[in-house]
């Protein structure tokens, strides 16, 4: 579904991603872990098409299309969804109105009929019930005055409504209490099926207790340096990331999908 | 001497020959003298410099001679929905009414009110000539308005009566000459009474008139006036308005102005909190495109203690348009315990558009709570990206954000039905980025 080859990306002239390779198949959940400043969020933003992230080399193929040729909204319509690390507050724009406009923009792009107000509301209420989110957020402005947890729940709610083919969760777990964490995990697990893929970017292993990934990658110094199974996350939790700098990569048992920086 | 001075002197204007009481004749005479001496505002009048530059030449303008061709009526189709008494004004004069007024509420054509010397009118009218104060050209338009006094309305709400909503639909007949139309609205709202006026300015395209309206209101103890104004003049017309509100104790004045059209729009909005505990709540949105000019000056004078004023204005400018917004609060000596807030934010959608905002705050009293802020900026690019990342195209994203910005003003209206209609009108004319 997603193939990233030799991706180099810079922010303000500083190279953050330095030759990243990644292959994600439909039905898979991949976790991207790594120390602060390794480039995890840059990867998410490059995939979503945020301005200011300049791709200097490499390619990203998503369902046969060159993602880098597409505008952010075209990527969204093709099925890419980024759950923001810092969701933006938009005063004056009603959450329900926003989400219906977004969903209908995507449906129109795909040649599907647009949903009317009643049909949309019915669908939205079902999603809220499944995710155990109150309907209070329907009447509020997008993220305005939301607590950190509410903002992240709103991201997951949007994801549930838009049903993307590829969902990228950018540190969605950071700063969440256990209940909010379960909502996030619930949202991801309910969307999980053979046709979709997820990229879970996280600093901590905690979220991966609830979302069991198929693969775990360690992103350090702009590249994926180690790839393993779900148990790799546990090892990282135990040992931290310091060993990456001590030449410890060779010592780690990996499935050999990626090379280490020292090899 | 300009044509207009000749008109004024020769009496070649509508309403010249009214049978006026002595005090009204004096008002006219003094104002005519002031206008003859100082004329229209000039570039050297600090608060008028931008307006005057945009107004272009006033030399050729003529006073309206009152050759009415009939109210355009349905062809305007701008009437706002909802209940209420409806008053149609053509070229500044009352030409039709619809609905039933609550018992005791008086609505008179200004001409009849003057000729019959209706109770209360004299004191309200003389308030303005007192406020005119400095005899300079900066009050040229209101001086001319008083000098030609005779068109407009007098509305009197007796104590304790809720007069409900009154629509004032302003229209101008189509004529070849560039005319200056003068009209005066006087409101006397007695103790504990309340009134809502909804003004709508919206004329046929290509009309090159300039309308000069002065609205004066006296709110007695505990009176309430809710004042809504939807201005959607064609790009060829100018509108100069001055609103003067005198507020006695615990009275409540709210203003909601929406400027959606017009070539040059100038509004001086002024409230004096004369009695303790009076409240003035001034709100406005101005949406500009093309070469339009909108110039708003809002001022509240806190004269008595414990008054509250809240000013909330939002502006959007695109193309080569220009918006000026002045917000001023003065807390006078003795007006202790006053609360004042001023908020003005603007979005520039084009490099050629210009917005000048100037908040002013003067405090000469104790225990005053005051805040003010004024910004001019662009749309939040983080928000634009957020919307795009969900599938909205860039234009949609920008439109939604601009609309939300302006809607924050209509959302402050107490009536959700009217708020919905006005926000839709704003959406219809929402300026586009270059």
């Amino acid at each position: 579904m997603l193939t990233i080859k030799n991706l180099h990306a810079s922010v303000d002239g500083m190279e953050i991603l330095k030759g990243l390779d990644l292959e994600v198949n439909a039905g898979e959940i991949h976790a991207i872990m790594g120390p602060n400043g390794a480039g995890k969020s840059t990867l998410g933003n490059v995939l979503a098409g945020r301005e200011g992230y300049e791709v200097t080399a490499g390619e990203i193929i998503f369902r046969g299309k060159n993602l880098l040729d597409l505008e952010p909204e075209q990527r969204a319509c093709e099925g890419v969804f980024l759950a923001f690390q810092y969701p933006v507050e938009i005063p004056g724009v009603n959450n329900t109105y926003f989400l219906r406009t977004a969903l209908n923009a995507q449906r129109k792009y795909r040649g599907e009929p647009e949903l009317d107000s009643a049909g949309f509301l019915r669908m939205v209420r079902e999603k809220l019930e499944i995710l155990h989110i109150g309907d209070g957020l329907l009447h509020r402005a997008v993220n305005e005055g939301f607590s950190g947890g509410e903002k992240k729940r709103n991201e997951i709610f949007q994801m549930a409504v838009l049903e993307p083919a590829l969902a990228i969760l950018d540190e969605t777990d950071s700063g969440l209490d256990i209940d909010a964490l379960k909502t996030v995990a619930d949202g991801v697990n309910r969307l999980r099926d053979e046709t979709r893929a997820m990229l879970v970017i996280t600093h901590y292993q905690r979220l991966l207790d609830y979302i069991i990934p198929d693969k775990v990658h360690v992103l350090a110094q702009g590249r994926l340096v180690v790839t393993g199974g779900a148990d790799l996350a546990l090892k990282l939790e135990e040992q931290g990331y310091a060993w990456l700098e001590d030449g410890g990569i060779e010592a780690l048992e990996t499935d050999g999908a990626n090379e280490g920086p020292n090899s | 001497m300009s044509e207009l001075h000749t008109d004024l002197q020769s009496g070649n204007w509508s309403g010249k020959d009214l049978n006026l009481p002595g005090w009204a004749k004096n008002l006219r005479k003094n104002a005519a003298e002031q206008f003859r001496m100082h004329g229209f505002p000039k570039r050297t009048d600090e608060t008028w410099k931008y307006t005057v530059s945009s107004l272009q030449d006033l030399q050729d303008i003529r006073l309206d001679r009152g050759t009415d061709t009939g109210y355009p009526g349905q062809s305007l189709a701008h009437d706002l929905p909802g209940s209420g008494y409806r008053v149609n004004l053509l070229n500044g004069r009352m030409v039709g009414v619809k609905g039933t007024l609550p018992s005791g509420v008086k609505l008179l054509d200004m001409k009849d009110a003057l000729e019959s010397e209706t109770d209360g009118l004299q004191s309200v009218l003389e308030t303005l000539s007192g406020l005119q104060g400095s005899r300079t050209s900066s009050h040229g338009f209101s001086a001319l308005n008083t000098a030609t006094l005779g068109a407009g309305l007098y509305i009197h709400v007796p104590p304790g009566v809720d007069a409900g909503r009154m629509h004032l639909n302003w229209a101008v007949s189509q004529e070849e000459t560039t005319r200056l139309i003068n009209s005066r609205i006087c409101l006397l709202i007695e103790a504990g009474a309340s009134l809502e006026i909804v003004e709508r300015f919206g004329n046929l395209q290509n009309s090159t008139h300039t309308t000069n309206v002065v609205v004066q209101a006296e709110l007695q103890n505990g009176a309430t006036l809710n004042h809504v104004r939807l201005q959607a003049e064609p790009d060829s017309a100018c509108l100069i308005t001055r609103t003067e509100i005198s507020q006695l104790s615990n009275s409540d004045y709210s203003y909601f102005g929406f400027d959606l059209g017009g070539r040059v729009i100038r509004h001086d909005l002024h409230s004096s909190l004369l009695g303790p505990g009076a409240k003035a709540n001034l709100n406005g949105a101005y949406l500009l495109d093309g070469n339009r000019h909108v110039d708003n000056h809002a001022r509240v004078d806190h004269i008595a203690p414990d008054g509250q004023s809240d000013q909330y204005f939002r502006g959007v400018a695109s193309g080569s348009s220009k918006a000026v917004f002045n917000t001023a609060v003065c807390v006078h000596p003795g007006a202790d315990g006053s609360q004042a807030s001023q908020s003005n934010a603007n979005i520039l959608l084009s490099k050629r558009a210009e917005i000048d905002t100037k908040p002013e705050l003067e405090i000469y009293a104790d225990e005053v709570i005051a805040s003010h802020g004024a910004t001019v900026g662009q749309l939040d690019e983080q928000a634009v990206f957020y919307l795009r990342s969900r599938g909205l195209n860039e234009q949609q994203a920008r439109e939604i954000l601009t609309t939300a910005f302006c809607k924050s003003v209509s959302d402050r209206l107490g009536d959700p039905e009217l708020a919905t209609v006005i926000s839709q009108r704003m959406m219809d004319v929402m300026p586009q980025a270059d």
Side-chain angles (χ1 to χ4, degrees), chain A residues 48-50 71-73 76 81-82 84 88 90-93 98 102 105-106 143 155 158, chain B residues 380-383 385-394 396 400-401 404-405 407 411 427:
Chain A
R50 190 192 283 263
E71 295 293 332
E73 58 270 27
F81 177 91
L82 172 68
F84 282 50
V88 183
I90 311 183
V93 179
F98 154 61
Q106 296 201 9
N143 295 324
E155 295 292 286
Q158 291 174 30
Chain B
D380 176 3
E381 290 302 321
Q382 300 293 332
F385 175 67
Y386 190 77
L387 296 178
R388 292 179 73 191
S389 79
R390 299 301 182 245
L392 278 69
N393 67 39
E394 187 168 356
Q396 264 180 317
I400 282 181
L401 293 173
F405 179 76
K407 210 169 140 280
D411 284 349
M427 249 188 269

Side-chain angles (χ1 to χ4, degrees), chain B residues 17-59:
Chain B
D17 304 318
L18 300 188
N19 182 22
L20 295 179
W23 59 266
K25 281 182 183 156
N26 278 338
L27 276 181
R28 271 188 177 182
K29 202 178 110 209
N30 292 337
E33 177 62 14
Q34 183 178 343
F35 184 74
R36 195 185 62 78
M37 295 274 291
H38 303 285
F40 285 117
K42 297 173 180 62
R43 278 168 217 256
T44 47
D45 293 311
E46 177 62 22
T47 64
W48 279 86
K49 59 180 181 190
Y50 297 119
T51 325
V52 172
S53 313
S54 296
L55 267 175
Q56 299 165 1
D57 199 3
L58 288 166
Q59 288 295 307

Side-chain angles (χ1 to χ4, degrees), chain B residues 115-381:
Chain B
E115 288 185 331
S116 65
E117 287 201 71
T118 304
D119 291 348
L121 178 63
Q122 183 180 355
S123 77
V124 178
L125 282 170
E126 285 179 350
T127 310
L128 183 70
S129 73
L131 287 166
Q132 235 147 264
S134 62
R135 295 169 70 87
T136 66
S137 56
S138 65
H139 287 306
F141 280 100
S142 22
L144 185 60
N145 189 287
T146 305
T148 58
L149 190 64
L153 301 173
Y154 176 59
I155 300 165
H156 179 183
V157 187
V161 172
D162 177 3
R165 178 178 289 175
M166 203 176 276
H167 294 267
L168 307 185
N169 295 325
W170 295 91
V172 167
S173 58
Q174 205 137 19
E175 284 182 30
E176 293 299 311
T177 49
T178 301
R179 289 169 305 151
L180 182 71
I181 290 152
N182 290 288
S183 187
R184 176 76 56 106
I185 306 295
C186 278
L187 306 160
L188 175 60
I189 305 171
E190 292 205 64
S194 58
L195 172 70
E196 178 175 55
I197 54 171
V198 179
E199 290 187 272
R200 194 264 302 145
F201 292 89
N203 279 284
L204 298 165
Q205 289 302 320
N206 304 322
S207 183
T208 56
H209 60 277
T210 294
T211 309
N212 177 25
V213 178
V214 174
V215 176
Q216 282 179 271
E218 184 177 313
L219 275 63
Q220 295 187 345
N221 298 346
T224 301
L225 174 61
N226 198 32
H227 183 186
V228 181
R229 186 176 111 149
L230 180 67
Q231 181 279 112
E233 287 279 11
D235 288 350
S236 49
C238 302
L239 176 64
I240 313 285
T241 42
R242 179 168 174 198
T243 302
E244 284 291 344
I245 313 291
S246 302
Q247 294 190 241
L248 303 188
S249 65
N250 298 312
S251 62
D252 200 332
Y253 174 67
S254 294
Y255 173 83
F256 300 89
F258 302 90
D259 284 311
L260 313 185
R263 183 169 74 77
V264 180
I265 303 298
R266 162 83 185 209
H267 188 199
D268 289 82
L269 172 61
H270 178 219
S271 179
S272 301
L273 307 183
L274 302 167
K279 280 187 210 166
N281 174 20
L282 315 179
N283 308 276
Y286 38 97
L287 283 61
L288 287 79
D289 56 12
N291 290 308
R292 298 177 38 227
H293 177 117
V294 174
D295 198 328
N296 276 295
H297 293 245
R299 178 183 173 93
V300 178
D301 278 285
H302 287 254
I303 292 158
D306 303 320
Q308 275 183 41
S309 68
D310 184 12
Q311 300 187 36
Y312 185 93
F313 287 80
R314 295 290 180 265
V316 178
S318 72
S320 303
S321 64
K322 180 169 174 92
V324 178
F325 185 75
N326 260 47
T327 163
V329 167
C330 181
V331 183
H332 293 250
D336 299 344
S338 292
Q339 289 183 36
S341 75
Q342 296 163 274
S343 163
N344 175 231
N346 298 282
I347 290 176
L348 272 176
L349 293 176
S350 143
K351 287 197 175 81
R352 288 166 292 125
E354 193 178 327
I355 298 178
D356 291 289
T357 171
K358 190 166 123 192
E360 292 173 54
L361 178 61
E362 292 172 78
I363 300 175
Y364 305 101
D366 298 323
E367 291 178 44
V368 170
I369 300 171
S371 65
H372 68 131
T375 59
V376 178
Q378 275 84 39
L379 287 176
D380 176 3
E381 290 302 321

